[in-house]
Amino acid sequence: MSAEVKSSSFIKSRRQTIDEFQPRITGTVRYGDSIFHGLMFFFALLILVMTGLILWQLLAGSSASIMHSGLDFFMGTRWSVGDDVYGALPVIYGTLATSALALLIAVPLSLGAAIFLAELAPGWLRAPVSYLVELLAAIPSVVYGLWALFVMVPVLRDPVQTTLSHLGFLPFFNADIYKPIGLGFMAAGVILAIMILPIITALSRDVILVVPQSQREAYYALGATRWETIKDVVLPYARAGIIGAGVLGLGRALGETMAVAMVIGNSNAISASLFSPGSTMASRIANEFAEASDLQRSALIEIALVLFMITFLVNVAARLLIGRIAGKRAV
Amino acid sequence: MHSYTYRKRTNTLMLALCVLAVALAILILLLIFGYVLVKGIGSWKAAFFLNLPAPPGEPDGGIANGILGSLLLVAVASGIGIPVGIGAGIYLAEYEDRFLAPTVRFLTEVLVGIPSIIAGIVAYALIVLTTKQFSALAGGVALAIIFIPVVTRSTEEQLRLVPATLREAGFALGIPKWRVITGVVIPSALGGITTGVMLSAARVAGEAAPLLFTAFGSQFWPTGITESPVAALPLYIYRYAISPQSDWQAQAWGAALLLLLLVLGLNIMTRSLARSGMKRGERR
């Protein structure tokens, strides 16, 4: 039996050649490859099935509520289990408001930290400090919530919010209806900002590091200062990636449950005032799901469905912006 | 336009702000870890680790069933998640096709970011509703839903890092493809794969949201994987923290310290192992 060299074109792929080679060399058909391939295919298929299951359960579970509430779900502000009225506008508002606040606080800080880590830090400092910032990402959400509840909220109540209430002419700091108790949108926004900071920092740092040195050097050659180079060359070059990092942080903030549930005050209010308590989609589910009645549970699953779709879209947008640089992080 | 002095001062100011930003981040890390350490260590006594919870006001309550429960849940989640995650990762890295691989790759990248409470809802619908029972299985499945995409992505990445020449050498020797994968590629990437698995396990160990209505929490020892609700460290932290009892709140800090040490310890350990593994690899 001779191993015939296939007189095929060079373009024929390696794998294809190997698979066809095997039987001709040995004269027998090998089952190992097919079995193994089939097994791995099965596992990959399971992920597809899992996603399908998630979608199916969310849709099936929320169907009762969709038929019951219709559009009032998105526009109603009243959430009453007793009357079977489920208006989700307050929780949608709460989710968006806290996430927006979190981004507002986190993005400048993260960008600053990323610039430091990518541009300013001496070589020996870069790795340890990056490591420490990434360690922030490993802290479990409940621990953040615990710390926020007992350490951050009292500080917010006094002196932060009492001082800010002097600016009560601004709707954000209006203390007329909601006396500052520390809990509320501000607390949730701040702890969310802390939680998404490491993600945005790490990704922005990676993106900034990829900017070619030649770009910077050209600007230096024109007499620019370091900050001017960062502002006019590096950041615009890395803009898409940085926005992607921010969007990814947004995605994380939208879905964050435990820490928010512990500090947001769990009321149904819609208010521009940051002192006001409120709820987010995830915190509403966390608070009510375990003991929910059938229609209530269906309404909560409808909230989950909306949350799933929003975070899905946000994550897709982030991936498109960042491409494969995000791959390294098991976020 | 601007004087040189202005530009120099702006430069110094902005760079100082960047340093401040990093300092703030590190400060927060130290504050969190510091508070958890100081407030948590006070609760660390033998009874805390060995006893079941006691009613509020009674001394010597503990979170022993939470420690066991968390281990049980992570074990179930890993038992389901490791084969599926690594298998899918192998498929994505070693086999390419036109539909399944790109779709699964896209789905895992996106599933990594979904809120963990949704995993809890799915596990609730699939298992709690059908078995009419909160259980470690339900909690484990919920955690597995979070676990699998992360492990799949990290496994695929680690396998792609293995140089093609290694595989080709195997093929050149006539080794079947599956033996090349299991005997050459995977051992070569094993350190990275293990790191990915352990980091994912650390992450799911700290999750509370998916467990709220799957494992549900309990005051007793777990009686089995499918027969009873199960306590878990993150659930204790959450429930005790929002309770009005001060001794329960103290236990929340103690549990948080334990969880933090476990999670951070695992992170630090796996990263330093990964680093030394890489150094060894370079010398070879």
Side-chain angles (χ1 to χ4, degrees), chain A residues 142-264:
Chain A
V142 273
V143 176
Y144 271 118
L146 177 70
W147 181 84
L149 187 57
F150 290 111
V151 178
M152 196 184 77
V153 162
V155 169
L156 280 185
R157 181 167 56 232
D158 198 349
V160 175
Q161 284 180 350
T162 42
T163 330
L164 286 174
S165 59
H166 293 308
L167 295 171
F169 53 87
L170 287 172
F172 303 118
F173 302 127
N174 188 325
D176 292 336
I177 318 176
Y178 300 105
K179 291 222 143 327
I181 54 168
L183 300 172
F185 288 125
M186 181 183 283
V190 173
I191 195 65
L192 275 179
I194 299 176
M195 292 173 81
I196 67 177
L197 190 139
I199 307 167
I200 305 181
T201 305
L203 279 172
S204 301
R205 181 206 64 205
D206 287 347
V207 168
I208 292 177
L209 281 173
V210 171
V211 174
Q213 192 62 14
S214 55
Q215 299 284 324
R216 297 183 183 87
E217 286 168 1
Y219 214 48
Y220 288 142
L222 293 173
T225 63
R226 292 201 77 173
W227 170 249
E228 284 167 353
T229 316
I230 295 171
K231 178 169 72 91
D232 296 334
V233 174
V234 175
L235 289 184
Y237 195 100
R239 185 172 42 213
I242 293 175
I243 296 179
V247 174
L248 206 64
L250 172 67
R252 169 91 196 256
L254 290 172
E256 184 41 60
T257 311
M258 300 316 296
V260 173
M262 289 162 92
V263 299
I264 198 166

Side-chain angles (χ1 to χ4, degrees), chain A residues 33 223 227-228 327 329 331, chain B residues 7 11 112 153 157 178 271:
Chain A
D33 267 345
W227 170 249
E228 284 167 353
R329 249 133 265 303
V331 167
Chain B
R7 289 170 60 213
N11 183 59
V112 160
R153 254 192 22 181
E157 237 161 78
W178 70 276
R271 279 177 209 238

